[in-house]
Amino acid sequence: MPGGRSSHKNTGKPAWQLLFSEALLQAKGFPPPMAAQTSAAHQEMADPAQEPTMDRILQEISGVGCRLEGMDSAMVSMAAETKNIRTEIASFQARVLGLEQRVEAHASSFQDRDQERLFLRRKLMDLEDRSRRDNVRFIGFPENMEGKDLHRFLRDTLPRLTGIPFEPPLEFQRAHRLGPWRTSTDDRPRPIIACLLRHTQARLLIQRARTQGPLQLDGHKIRMSADF
């Protein structure tokens, strides 16, 4: 009968004794029993079928190793790039810190310059006001009434208009009409602005205009005011 169980039953020996005897026979060089030979034959027949599977497993393991090596190189390059980025960030931080220090250093100087500019602006405004204190604005003189010499016209006309005998005679630093030239006589005449040489004479003209109101000159109302 095939199998090892029947032989064990026929001999009447325990299973462990039979196994021990088979191992002893194999150690002395005797061929193994039929069941052992059969199992060895099955193993030899199965090995050729398992070889392709083992090759594929080895190939997959080798591919995983290559991928791991690629990941290692990528990690190394990423570490190098990260180090470069950190270096650039540190340099940017140093530059920003330097700029902040420069701004803080110049902040106080900017404040001093602002105060100085404010002082100069106030002084300029005061000088402009002082320069305008001697300006008198005349409204109502018809166009071309002054002729070619506006200074002479005002010097001869204002004493007669106001009734003030100016001594010394009126003198002007500058005098001109404001605005573009008027071609039509129907248009409103341009005002005349004159800067007197003496501040006291300018004040006399302004006071006379305030007390007497509009003055008459050949049927024309003449008004005088300070140049604000």
Side-chain angles (χ1 to χ4, degrees):
M1 293 178 67
R5 293 182 180 180
S6 60
S7 62
H8 295 165
K9 289 181 180 181
N10 293 332
T11 56
K13 295 181 180 181
W16 67 271
Q17 290 183 0
L18 293 175
L19 294 173
F20 180 77
S21 61
E22 290 177 0
L24 184 62
L25 291 174
Q26 291 179 6
K28 291 181 178 182
F30 291 96
M34 185 61 66
Q37 293 178 1
T38 305
S39 61
H42 284 295
Q43 290 178 0
E44 291 177 358
M45 293 176 64
D47 287 339
Q50 293 179 357
E51 287 181 358
T53 304
M54 294 300 295
D55 292 339
R56 287 195 297 271
I57 292 173
L58 291 175
Q59 291 177 359
E60 292 179 358
I61 292 173
S62 177
V64 171
C66 294
R67 288 194 293 271
L68 290 175
E69 291 179 357
M71 292 176 64
D72 290 339
S73 62
M75 291 295 293
V76 171
S77 63
M78 290 177 62
E81 292 180 359
T82 304
K83 184 177 180 181
N84 294 333
I85 292 173
R86 289 179 178 176
T87 304
E88 292 179 357
I89 291 174
S91 64
F92 288 150
Q93 289 178 349
R95 292 176 61 184
V96 171
L97 181 61
L99 292 174
E100 289 179 352
Q101 292 176 355
R102 290 177 61 185
V103 169
E104 291 177 357
H106 291 292
S108 59
S109 63
F110 289 156
Q111 293 178 357
D112 296 339
R113 290 181 181 179
D114 289 339
Q115 294 179 358
E116 183 179 1
R117 184 176 60 182
L118 181 60
F119 171 75
L120 293 175
R121 184 177 180 181
R122 291 176 178 175
K123 189 173 182 179
L124 179 61
M125 292 175 63
D126 182 68
L127 291 175
E128 289 180 350
D129 293 340
R130 289 179 181 274
S131 66
R132 290 183 178 181
R133 290 177 183 178
D134 299 334
N135 290 351
V136 180
R137 185 186 298 264
F138 303 96
I139 300 174
F141 286 113
E143 290 282 341
N144 300 325
M145 188 177 185
E146 67 276 12
K148 296 182 179 180
D149 193 349
L150 182 57
H151 289 198
R152 182 176 180 180
F153 170 76
L154 293 175
R155 185 174 63 248
D156 297 339
T157 304
L158 291 179
R160 180 165 56 92
L161 180 65
T162 58
I164 302 174
F166 291 100
E167 289 294 338
L170 293 174
E171 293 185 71
F172 303 92
Q173 296 183 15
R174 58 186 179 274
H176 60 276
R177 285 188 182 270
L178 299 177
W181 181 268
R182 303 290 174 83
T183 57
S184 176
T185 57
D186 297 335
D187 295 337
R188 186 176 179 181
R190 294 174 296 168
I192 297 174
I193 183 169
C195 178
L196 279 77
L197 183 61
R198 299 175 180 85
H199 178 66
T200 55
Q201 293 177 346
R203 291 182 58 186
L204 285 175
L205 289 174
I206 299 301
Q207 291 176 0
R208 183 57 59 91
R210 290 175 179 175
T211 57
Q212 294 184 1
L215 304 176
Q216 295 290 332
L217 179 65
D218 300 335
H220 301 286
K221 290 184 178 180
I222 308 299
R223 293 180 175 86
M224 293 181 294
S225 65
D227 181 27
F228 296 107

